[in-house]
Amino acid sequence: MVAKHIIFIGRVQGVGFRFTAHRIANRHQLTGFVRNDPAGTVEMLAQGQPEDIDNCIKDLQDSFAGYIRETKIEEVSPDLRYTNFKITF
């Protein structure tokens, strides 16, 4: 298992991004979270198999192609506290 910390930049709040991310992450059997950041970005921690994380990110980028301006991805250590994928606030 690997983990990636992802920041989505653009018009990503108020457009259903977190709920779509939750659905897509669950489809790819990932654990972690997605949440709005006060700076107007969306932060995501995705944990699972590398190809599942990459496919999840691609699906989100495809779904919100007109909204995401930039995606920052950093590999981080897995956090075993997350046993499912959730929307946090």
Side-chain angles (χ1 to χ4, degrees):
M1 176 170 68
V2 300
K4 292 188 180 181
H5 180 251
I6 306 128
I7 302 291
F8 296 96
I9 301 166
R11 187 171 166 240
V12 291
Q13 292 189 13
V15 294
F17 193 96
R18 290 175 300 154
F19 297 100
T20 303
H22 181 262
R23 180 178 49 77
I24 291 172
N26 281 319
R27 187 173 70 220
H28 290 288
Q29 301 178 353
L30 302 178
T31 63
F33 67 84
V34 63
R35 66 180 167 210
N36 284 344
D37 184 85
T41 62
V42 172
E43 175 185 15
M44 182 173 175
L45 173 68
Q47 304 182 135
Q49 296 303 313
E51 62 274 5
D52 292 328
I53 296 172
D54 292 343
N55 288 335
C56 177
I57 294 168
K58 182 182 181 320
D59 288 350
L60 278 166
Q61 290 171 327
D62 290 346
S63 295
F64 290 93
Y67 298 92
I68 298 172
R69 191 170 21 96
E70 183 180 355
T71 305
K72 295 182 178 182
I73 304 169
E74 175 185 12
E75 194 155 326
V76 295
S77 297
D79 187 336
L80 301 179
R81 293 178 296 171
Y82 295 101
T83 57
N84 60 9
F85 195 89
K86 59 179 90 174
I87 298 171
T88 61
F89 299 93

